[in-house]
Amino acid sequence: MTNASLFSFSRRRFLRNWASGLALATVVRPNDTFAQSSSMSSIKIATIGAGREGGALGTLFAKLGHPVLFSSRHPEDLKELVAAAGPNARAGTTAEAVAFGEVIFLVVPYTAVAEIGQDFGSALAVKPLVLDVSNPIPARDGQDFVSQIASEGGPGLVTARLLKGARVVRAFNALNYASLDKFTHQSGEPVGVPIAGDDPKAIDLASRLIREAGFEPVLVGGLAKGKYLVPGTPLAGQHTPTELRQIAATLN
């Protein structure tokens, strides 16, 4: 082979390898990006629902430096919440929240989860994490509805079915919204946050966010254990991580 031919061959091989590397670099999934990143504050968070729990959680993460979009059916009513959350927060519709958020906090009455799945299921399925904070509550949703969710495996399994393909982790379901500021970054042993999930990368991302907020995540099991992450169960309320692990070990 002549020098000219050798040069041409080497140049072609270099260009092929460069193009292949470029292609691989552009096919990084969101989960992989977050798994490799050491910085958490660049993650865009959107809340579907901006009531007391959604407002408290969104405010907590906005003050940690995350861009946060609160959403509701009437975003124009969220001006006071946005102002209190600070310059990293804004408000929008549910569709805008789904488009904006890299991580979605689902904080709605549980009766609304099916509709959200119908309207936004395909978009939520590509997110690296959907943090399910929604609970079926008898006083609000009716005992018949709550019993139906229980008969289908409980919240967690039902959320995953309604949001088909989404990487769901249940968390913050059992802590009162009014206690979040009090418990975050408290001195001594941190307050534990029980979580349940089936996707390892989503669990890892949820755990990192929870630690950043000053709590300690405690994985109690897969989404089948999501039925215990509701008010009124042994896991509800303030517990240390050690206490949560002891309680979780007694649950079927």
Side-chain angles (χ1 to χ4, degrees), residues 39 61-62 67 71-72 91 121 136 142 170 174 177 180 192 196 199 214 245-246 248:
S39 173
F61 283 96
S71 74
S72 78
R170 278 183 67 75
Y177 75 95
L180 290 177
D199 185 283
R245 294 185 186 96
Q246 291 171 343

Side-chain angles (χ1 to χ4, degrees), residues 56 154 251:
L251 303 176

Side-chain angles (χ1 to χ4, degrees), residues 2-247:
T2 66
N3 288 342
S5 299
L6 181 61
F7 174 77
S8 177
F9 172 78
S10 299
R11 183 173 182 272
R12 289 197 303 271
R13 184 170 60 183
F14 168 78
L15 290 173
R16 280 200 306 271
N17 290 343
W18 176 82
S20 297
L22 183 62
L24 287 172
T26 59
V27 187
V28 178
R29 293 172 296 178
N31 275 29
D32 296 333
T33 300
F34 291 130
Q36 295 166 7
S37 174
S38 60
S39 173
M40 297 291 288
S41 63
S42 61
I43 297 176
K44 293 185 289 187
I45 293 173
T47 74
I48 299 180
R52 292 176 296 185
E53 188 78 24
L57 281 169
T59 297
L60 175 62
F61 283 96
K63 290 185 175 180
L64 288 170
H66 292 274
V68 171
L69 193 153
F70 297 103
S71 74
S72 78
R73 296 180 185 275
H74 302 286
E76 65 277 6
D77 294 338
L78 302 179
K79 292 179 181 178
E80 290 186 10
L81 173 61
V82 169
N88 292 319
R90 62 189 181 93
T93 64
T94 302
E96 289 171 331
V98 172
F100 171 84
E102 295 166 314
V103 170
I104 305 295
F105 286 13
L106 182 64
V107 203
V108 295
Y110 208 82
T111 51
V113 176
E115 181 181 353
I116 290 168
Q118 292 171 358
D119 293 345
F120 304 105
S122 58
L124 293 174
V126 302
K127 304 294 181 179
L129 171 63
V130 175
L131 203 72
D132 177 21
V133 193
S134 299
N135 292 319
I137 298 174
R140 180 191 61 204
D141 305 323
Q143 185 58 55
D144 289 345
F145 177 79
V146 173
S147 298
Q148 176 188 340
I149 298 301
S151 71
E152 295 176 10
L157 290 178
V158 173
T159 301
R161 178 174 58 79
L162 295 174
L163 307 183
K164 188 175 181 180
R167 299 173 179 88
V168 175
V169 174
R170 278 183 67 75
F172 288 112
N173 315 81
L175 275 178
N176 189 295
Y177 75 95
S179 302
L180 290 177
D181 280 344
K182 174 184 175 182
F183 293 152
T184 181
H185 293 289
Q186 73 170 21
S187 59
E189 190 173 10
V191 171
V193 173
I195 66 175
D198 293 331
D199 185 283
K201 290 182 179 179
I203 291 169
D204 177 68
L205 179 54
S207 298
R208 292 172 66 190
L209 286 168
I210 290 167
R211 288 191 183 97
E212 185 191 19
F215 300 91
E216 181 62 29
V218 177
L219 181 64
V220 300
L223 287 174
K225 292 290 181 70
K227 63 185 178 182
Y228 294 114
L229 303 189
V230 295
T233 69
L235 292 172
Q238 179 187 0
H239 297 285
T240 67
T242 299
E243 290 169 342
L244 287 176
R245 294 185 186 96
Q246 291 171 343
I247 295 168

